[in-house]
């Protein structure tokens, strides 16, 4: 039975896009470039500074200007890491339900502790989480399994009874090397087919849907009172639009889903920040 839920931070538990976007646009302003709109920046937040510098300056690690801009980004972000950052809608209620159901929860992020700890303090969560594992807490950050294994140790949990909620490909890669179950944040998209679990599906679509908070609470209630075994499927949905359509279809016509809750789907990194 799942007894510990671990969350990625940026783009999963907390909406940090506004603060990170402000730093990126500050750098662009220094370079004489126009600011990017929020909708352009948001999809790259979970990739950290690497992803943001890619969308903002078309730079990748190893490019001549990358190291300097990377450091300036971190310096600027350190000045104000939690001005507009908020928990995603429904997440505060989800954490309360976890605690009410005596399920432990914690954070596993590649953001370094210099930024993670002040952010968690500002959000009022630092003393509630059973563990806060940052990108510099273990020898190797995600996609290595080290941070998840460290988190389970700090939490006093069996990795097989932990659930990790993330929204980036490296989150999925991290759980492949350990026995932690996982689900994807609703906005995650990647090029592969994965099995679908009908119970976990509710939690996957819980983010950024009209009744997300209720769905999340329903899932937590099921886990804390009715689930008799760990979630073993690695869950991933192709894209957010398809998730929303499938969710609405199920809500209106539950019989339309396959008996095992599955649907056909196809398609076809390691850095701290």
């Amino acid at each position: 039975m799942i007894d510990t839920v671990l969350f990625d931070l940026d783009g999963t538990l907390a909406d940090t896009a506004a603060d990170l976007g402000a730093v990126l646009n500050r750098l662009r302003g220094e370079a004489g470039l126009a600011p990017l709109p929020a909708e352009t920046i948001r999809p790259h937040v979970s990739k950290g500074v690497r992803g943001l510098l890619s969308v903002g300056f078309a730079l990748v690690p190893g490019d001549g200007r990358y190291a300097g801009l990377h450091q300036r980004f971190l310096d600027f972000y350190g000045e104000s890491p939690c001005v507009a950052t908020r928990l995603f809608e429904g997440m505060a209620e989800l954490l309360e339900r976890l605690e009410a159901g005596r399920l432990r929860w914690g954070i596993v992020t590649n953001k370094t502790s210099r930024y993670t700890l002040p952010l968690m303090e500002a959000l009022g969560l630092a003393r509630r989480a059973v563990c806060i594992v940052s990108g510099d807490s273990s020898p190797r950050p995600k996609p290595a399994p080290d941070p998840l294994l460290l988190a389970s140790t700090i939490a006093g949990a069996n990795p097989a009874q932990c659930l990790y909620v993330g929204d980036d490909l490296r989150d999925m890669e991290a759980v492949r090397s350990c026995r932690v179950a996982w689900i994807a944040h609703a906005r995650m998209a990647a090029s592969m087919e994965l099995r679908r679990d009908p119970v976990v599906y509710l939690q996957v679509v819980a983010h950024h849907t009209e009744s997300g908070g209720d769905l999340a609470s329903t899932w937590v209630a099921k886990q804390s009172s009715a689930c008799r075994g760990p979630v073993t499927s690695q869950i991933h949905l192709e894209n957010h639009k398809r998730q929303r359509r499938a969710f609405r279809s199920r809500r209106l016509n539950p019989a339309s889903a396959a008996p095992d809750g599955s649907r056909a789907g196809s398609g076809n990194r390691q850095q701290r920040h």
Side-chain angles (χ1 to χ4, degrees):
M1 178 174 179
I2 299 297
D3 60 18
T4 304
V5 181
L6 304 171
F7 295 92
D8 179 42
L9 187 55
D10 296 85
T12 298
L13 184 70
D15 184 356
T16 57
D19 287 329
L20 292 169
V23 174
L24 180 63
N25 281 331
R26 181 177 175 182
L27 290 175
R28 284 177 59 86
E30 288 185 346
L33 300 172
L36 293 176
E39 57 269 23
T40 299
I41 296 173
R42 180 174 292 280
H44 302 271
V45 166
S46 295
K47 299 179 179 66
V49 181
R50 167 179 50 84
L52 292 167
L53 291 181
S54 175
V55 70
F57 292 91
L59 294 175
V60 297
D63 288 345
R65 300 172 57 207
Y66 182 87
L69 282 173
H70 187 278
Q71 187 56 54
R72 285 182 62 75
F73 189 106
L74 294 179
D75 290 341
F76 287 158
Y77 183 61
E79 295 173 5
S80 51
C82 193
V83 175
T85 292
R86 300 291 184 270
L87 294 182
F88 277 111
E89 183 178 356
M91 294 308 296
E93 293 80 3
L94 174 56
L95 297 181
E96 290 174 0
R97 285 300 297 268
L98 287 171
E99 294 166 350
R102 300 185 183 277
L103 275 76
R104 295 165 292 197
W105 67 269
I107 297 296
V108 179
T109 175
N110 271 11
K111 187 191 292 288
T112 57
S113 55
R114 173 188 174 188
Y115 311 103
T116 303
L117 299 180
L119 181 56
M120 289 291 287
E121 286 283 356
L123 292 171
L125 300 177
R127 290 166 180 78
R128 292 171 59 186
V130 296
C131 62
I132 301 175
V133 174
S134 302
D136 53 353
S137 299
S138 60
R140 300 178 298 170
K142 299 177 295 183
D146 306 39
L148 290 173
L149 295 174
L150 175 61
S152 66
T153 299
I154 295 172
N158 183 331
Q161 294 178 306
C162 293
L163 183 72
Y164 187 50
V165 185
D167 69 326
D168 190 64
L169 181 59
R170 60 187 167 187
D171 296 326
M172 182 177 66
E173 292 173 346
V175 302
R176 284 177 172 169
S177 301
C178 54
R179 297 171 61 199
V180 174
W182 100 295
I183 59 174
H185 183 290
R187 291 186 298 105
M188 183 177 176
S191 54
M192 58 193 64
E193 294 183 10
L194 292 171
R195 291 173 294 167
R196 311 289 164 79
D197 184 297
V199 174
V200 177
Y201 182 86
L202 294 179
Q203 176 67 1
V204 175
V205 299
H207 299 273
H208 302 294
T209 61
E210 294 81 357
S211 38
D214 291 339
L215 285 171
S217 297
T218 298
W219 179 84
V220 170
K222 287 183 178 181
Q223 286 295 324
S224 60
S225 63
C227 183
R228 298 184 178 274
V231 178
T232 56
S233 297
Q234 291 183 333
I235 305 302
H236 183 273
L237 302 181
E238 285 184 46
N239 55 61
H240 192 200
K241 291 182 179 179
R242 184 168 184 175
Q243 293 153 16
R244 292 174 68 91
R245 288 197 299 269
F247 166 68
R248 288 170 177 156
S249 175
R250 286 189 178 189
R251 184 171 57 183
L252 295 174
N253 183 17
S256 65
D260 63 353
S262 64
R263 290 178 183 271
S266 62
N268 231 47
R269 321 177 290 218
Q270 177 167 343
Q271 181 168 326
R272 297 178 174 95
H273 71 279

